[in-house]
Amino acid sequence: MPHIIVERSFATPLREEELKAVEARMMPCLELYRVRWIRSYWSADRRRMICEYEAPDAASVKSVQREAEARFDQVWVAEVLGEP
């Protein structure tokens, strides 16, 4: 399945409580759109985030983000380097 990257930026540092609220809203949407979260990276200043998913396509990941009201800057399909 393709790897999809979601880039996020925040005007003010994202708080842990805000992140948990978005995660809770996202959970039912992931299964609905056959999207699997792999990992996320959070910048030290908590103003940027990169999230990696496996999904049928980028549109599925965008649907999850919109339904969960998770702000994002970009969504794009990635190739994993070093995979056979």
Side-chain angles (χ1 to χ4, degrees), residues 13 16 25 27 36 39 47 50 59 72-73 79 81:
E16 187 82 27
R25 291 192 307 265
M27 292 308 275
R36 184 175 77 88
R39 69 182 60 88
R47 294 182 64 168
I50 301 290
F72 63 91
D73 300 324
E79 289 185 28
L81 299 176

Side-chain angles (χ1 to χ4, degrees), residues 20-37:
K20 289 191 182 302
V22 171
E23 288 173 345
R25 291 192 307 265
M26 202 174 286
M27 292 308 275
C29 301
L30 292 172
E31 187 174 337
L32 178 66
Y33 288 98
R34 300 180 325 154
V35 173
R36 184 175 77 88
W37 173 79

Side-chain angles (χ1 to χ4, degrees), residues 6 8 19-33 35 37 40 49 51 53 61 63-72:
V6 176
R8 306 175 198 285
L19 178 60
K20 289 191 182 302
V22 171
E23 288 173 345
R25 291 192 307 265
M26 202 174 286
M27 292 308 275
C29 301
L30 292 172
E31 187 174 337
L32 178 66
Y33 288 98
V35 173
W37 173 79
S40 294
M49 181 180 277
C51 301
Y53 298 89
V61 174
S63 293
V64 169
Q65 306 307 306
R66 288 186 181 118
E67 288 191 27
E69 299 176 11
R71 296 182 312 231
F72 63 91

